[in-house]
Amino acid sequence: MKNFFKHLKGDVFGGITAGIVALPLALAFGVSSGLGPSAGLYGAIFIGFFAALFGGTDTQISGPTAPMTAVSMVVIAGIIAANDGDVEKALPAILTVFLLAGIFQIILGVAGIGKYIKYIPYPVISGFMTAIGIMILVTQILPAVGYYPNDDTEYVQSFVPEAQEILLEKILEEEAGEGLLVLEDFEETIKQAKLTKVEDVNTEAVVLAKAASSGVVGTFKVIGRALNNIDWIELALALATILIIYGFKHITTAVPSTLVALLVVSLIAYFAPFEYRAIQEIPSGFPELNLGIITDFNFDLISPYILTALSLSFLGAIDSLLTSVIADNMTKTNHKPNKELIGQGIGNSIASIFGGLPGAGATIRTVVNINSGGKTKLSGMIAAVLLLVVLLALGPIASQIPAAVLAGILITVGFGVMDYKGLKAIPNLPKDIRKGPIKLSSEVIIMFTVMILAVVWDLVAAVGIGLILACLMFMKKMGDFTARQSRVVDLRSINSLNKKWKDEGNFPERLKEEIFIKHLSGPLFFGYTSEFSALSKQIPATATDVILRMGRVPYIDQSGVYAIEDTVLQLKQAGVDLHIVGLKEQPKYMLDRIGIIPNLIPESEVYATFEECIASLRNKVEDVA
């Protein structure tokens, strides 16, 4: 804290600038999530303040981000649909998921998991980020053209039969729960069905219509209707927003073009003589506490979403720590990953209690902060305070912002979040998978698998599958590499001369008939054990001894240990003795713990150098002679 106010001027300017950039994005992410602009603003305020205060990256600006909002949008839509489309009824469960995600992040930080996030393969991250961009672009088509499925009477009416069926099922469930359901007599059921109002059916149909048209797949289902019902004013507002965002950057970068677009287009729409669709009302005053999600916590209600909350916490961790690395590169500092996760967790937990969206470290806002002079945690806290001032002073005014403007802002976010670096590299990546004439790159396969699954199915599951694919392909590559580098050397053959290691050049001539050498290079793990197990079949019948050179084996897993055990037993049955040279610390520890040494291989047959082994074998031959 001693340097907290040392760079006050830079922190104030950096924080104010970052807050200005964050304002339109927070509103846009809130609208996109389904909880309204206020949720995005609340998230930006509380995550921004507390993640900065308790986090491990001094210049980090946190708040709702595109990846976190994309996942949150799916969570919110699912829980609302499970609660008959009633947002107020679903809100406690939604906020509890966000609260759990924050708590999980704190646990990840305390457990020291932050340092392992860097091991996520780049193709997985690339595919995920591109998928996020595609999802944002596609889902913003409808609001950009001014089409809202729940306002399309003809489309909503197509769901009336399904809505009637659902309402009837609810009546039957209620009767069954009260013991009133009699299979021989449905008189009570018919009576209740007749009491169902047309408004109830229409309300249920609206819920079904919104659910069916949500997400990427849902958007494509109604894209034809949207294009036939374009609201040209809404489309003009969205296009004007996009043009200003991209065009104003060529004039100056001193003022955020997103803010310029938000103000200019909103003012034009407000004073113009035409009607437009405004965003949802932003409540004035300080956000209310939702302590009910803590005091009335119901594990049975939230248990189906535990895995979702955990996935959200991991996503936030990845998003934040990637931004932390960028901040480190710009400021020549080193962030504290575990402390950063704790700070993000505290911020997300507090934001959920106030009804805010979850978030993470935001790359663009962090870069803006650093370039504007931000040096310490104070800059992030000032950015959050600025947003709080806007909420308290300008909430009713901000409620007049056109929805199409925020759709235009999100479209530019969608284009910006996609990983063009990874996409451009596709033609140049090595084609390491070959099946006949077909040649493919494993990195490209992983990238497109994650991207496609994330867009059409599930974001979290896509990342999980991508990680599994990356691990399997890595293990295959490492197994193949170890197999190529490891070989049996027949010292009698002229073809083996170029396979010798340097210290094998003066190998005693009289020992070449009986001794064979097995070179191992690389980790001996389960991806290579099948090739290693074939060692005993590679040894000629004339052999009496095999030297296993393990000086280039840095690691061995349990599968590798048992592969050695099986090989030793097979060689012993053939009357061949095994000698190990250059055993490193970790492999020796594993062989000792499992009991391979000394139960199967005596300590006397484990040598530090090749020269010691040859000297021992020379004495053995002489003793036999």
Side-chain angles (χ1 to χ4, degrees):
M1 298 291 288
K2 63 181 180 180
N3 294 323
F4 206 66
F5 296 101
K6 184 178 179 181
H7 305 281
L8 183 60
K9 182 179 178 181
D11 286 337
V12 169
F13 192 70
I16 290 174
T17 308
I20 290 172
V21 173
L23 175 61
L25 294 175
L27 295 172
F29 287 137
V31 171
S32 175
S33 72
L35 289 184
S38 57
L41 202 53
Y42 297 165
I45 291 168
F46 293 105
I47 300 169
F49 187 89
F50 290 102
L53 179 61
F54 295 106
T57 310
D58 288 346
T59 53
Q60 183 104 289
I61 303 295
S62 301
T65 62
M68 291 294 281
T69 302
V71 175
S72 300
M73 183 170 57
V74 176
V75 174
I76 293 166
I79 297 178
I80 290 177
N83 286 271
D84 305 323
D86 190 334
V87 177
E88 291 300 321
K89 183 180 177 183
L91 190 60
I94 293 170
L95 296 181
T96 304
V97 171
F98 297 162
L99 173 63
L100 287 176
I103 293 172
F104 284 143
Q105 280 186 322
I106 296 173
I107 294 172
L108 291 176
V110 172
I113 303 298
K115 59 186 177 182
Y116 296 107
I117 299 296
K118 62 185 178 183
Y119 294 112
I120 295 178
Y122 183 82
V124 175
I125 295 174
S126 177
F128 178 79
M129 295 307 295
T130 302
I132 293 294
I134 292 172
M135 291 176 67
I136 292 174
L137 287 172
V138 174
T139 55
Q140 293 309 305
I141 291 174
L142 301 186
V145 301
Y147 178 77
Y148 294 86
N150 51 304
D151 292 341
D152 186 341
T153 304
E154 184 180 347
Y155 180 68
V156 171
Q157 287 300 308
S158 68
F159 289 91
V160 167
E162 186 178 349
Q164 293 172 333
E165 183 180 337
I166 290 173
L167 291 175
L168 181 58
E169 287 177 358
K170 290 179 180 179
I171 293 172
L172 293 172
E173 288 174 2
E174 290 176 2
E175 291 183 355
E178 297 172 3
L180 301 176
L181 184 61
V182 182
L183 295 179
E184 292 81 7
D185 184 5
F186 287 97
E187 184 177 341
E188 183 64 27
T189 305
I190 295 171
K191 180 181 177 182
Q192 291 297 323
K194 288 181 177 179
L195 293 175
T196 302
K197 299 178 180 178
V198 175
E199 292 81 2
D200 296 332
V201 176
N202 289 335
T203 300
E204 186 67 34
V206 168
V207 172
L208 293 172
K210 289 178 67 176
S213 58
S214 64
V216 174
V217 176
T219 299
F220 281 118
K221 288 180 180 178
V222 297
I223 193 71
R225 300 188 66 86
L227 296 177
N228 289 327
N229 294 276
I230 294 176
D231 186 321
W232 296 103
I233 291 175
E234 298 289 318
L235 179 59
L237 293 175
L239 290 175
T241 302
I242 295 169
L243 289 173
I244 292 174
I245 289 175
Y246 287 125
F248 193 77
K249 292 178 181 179
H250 297 288
I251 299 174
T252 179
T253 56
V255 181
S257 61
T258 304
L259 181 67
V260 173
L262 177 71
L263 293 175
V264 171
V265 181
S266 296
L267 287 172
I268 291 174
Y270 185 77
F271 289 107
F274 54 72
E275 293 185 359
Y276 63 90
R277 189 186 187 101
I279 62 175
Q280 294 169 312
E281 182 180 355
I282 300 175
S284 57
F286 198 84
E288 295 182 1
L289 283 167
N290 293 276
L291 293 177
I293 65 175
I294 299 175
T295 57
D296 301 329
F297 182 80
N298 186 335
F299 182 78
D300 292 335
L301 179 67
I302 209 66
S303 58
Y305 306 105
I306 295 292
L307 185 59
T308 301
L310 184 61
S311 302
L312 200 57
S313 69
F314 268 106
L315 174 60
I318 296 167
D319 205 2
S320 298
L321 295 182
L322 287 175
T323 302
S324 295
V325 171
I326 293 172
D328 285 349
N329 292 334
M330 294 182 68
T331 59
K332 308 304 179 187
T333 57
N334 292 310
H335 72 282
K336 299 174 183 177
N338 295 318
K339 187 178 180 182
E340 181 62 31
L341 291 190
I342 293 172
Q344 292 292 334
I346 293 172
N348 278 312
S349 299
I350 294 175
S352 68
I353 296 172
F354 283 96
L357 283 180
T363 303
I364 300 298
R365 282 159 267 178
T366 299
V367 170
V368 166
N369 178 41
I370 295 170
N371 288 337
S372 301
K375 298 287 185 182
T376 72
K377 296 172 179 288
L378 187 62
S379 58
M381 297 164 67
I382 289 173
V385 170
L386 174 66
L387 294 175
L388 179 61
V389 171
V390 170
L391 171 68
L392 297 177
L394 303 174
I397 297 175
S399 299
Q400 302 302 314
I401 295 172
V405 169
L406 297 187
I409 291 173
L410 284 174
I411 286 173
T412 63
V413 170
F415 280 117
V417 80
M418 288 195 286
D419 181 38
Y420 297 103
K421 178 181 176 181
L423 293 172
K424 288 178 181 177
I426 289 176
N428 302 318
L429 292 172
K431 309 294 189 296
D432 51 358
I433 296 179
R434 294 177 174 85
K435 291 290 182 182
I438 301 175
K439 296 180 180 180
L440 299 171
S441 167
S442 57
E443 280 81 5
V444 174
I445 291 174
I446 294 168
M447 184 192 305
F448 276 96
T449 298
V450 172
M451 182 182 71
I452 294 170
L453 291 179
V455 169
V456 303
W457 182 39
D458 184 271
L459 278 163
V460 176
V463 172
I465 291 172
L467 286 173
I468 293 171
L469 273 178
C471 290
L472 290 174
M473 290 184 178
F474 172 76
M475 290 183 287
K476 175 67 167 59
K477 289 178 182 178
M478 289 302 299
D480 292 345
F481 172 80
T482 304
R484 287 194 301 270
Q485 298 296 316
S486 305
R487 59 179 65 90
V488 172
V489 179
D490 183 349
L491 297 169
R492 302 170 302 174
S493 172
I494 191 68
N495 296 325
S496 294
L497 293 178
N498 61 342
K499 299 178 181 178
K500 291 181 179 180
W501 288 358
K502 289 182 179 180
D503 55 0
E504 297 169 359
N506 297 320
F507 195 86
E509 193 69 31
R510 66 180 182 277
L511 300 181
K512 291 182 178 181
E513 290 290 333
E514 294 88 8
I515 298 175
F516 287 79
I517 302 173
K518 173 68 174 178
H519 293 159
L520 288 183
S521 293
L524 180 54
F525 70 115
F526 61 89
Y528 172 63
T529 52
S530 59
E531 287 84 355
F532 177 82
S533 297
L535 170 62
S536 58
K537 299 176 182 178
Q538 300 170 352
I539 305 301
T542 58
T544 60
D545 296 88
V546 171
I547 300 174
L548 188 61
R549 304 208 59 178
M550 298 184 65
R552 299 180 185 178
V553 179
Y555 171 81
I556 181 172
D557 68 359
Q558 190 173 5
S559 299
V561 171
Y562 291 138
I564 290 179
E565 180 183 43
D566 292 340
T567 300
V568 172
L569 292 173
Q570 291 171 7
L571 291 175
K572 281 185 177 295
Q573 288 178 356
V576 179
D577 294 329
L578 182 71
H579 315 272
I580 297 180
V581 175
L583 193 61
K584 291 186 176 295
E585 183 178 353
Q586 192 276 342
K588 186 177 188 307
Y589 175 81
M590 289 293 291
L591 293 174
D592 285 342
R593 296 292 292 178
I594 302 296
I596 306 301
I597 300 174
N599 295 340
L600 290 178
I601 304 173
E603 290 277 3
S604 59
E605 299 302 331
V606 180
Y607 303 93
T609 65
F610 185 69
E611 288 79 6
E612 291 179 9
C613 180
I614 293 302
S616 175
L617 289 175
R618 184 185 290 115
N619 293 334
K620 172 185 173 182
V621 172
E622 290 174 355
D623 290 341
V624 172

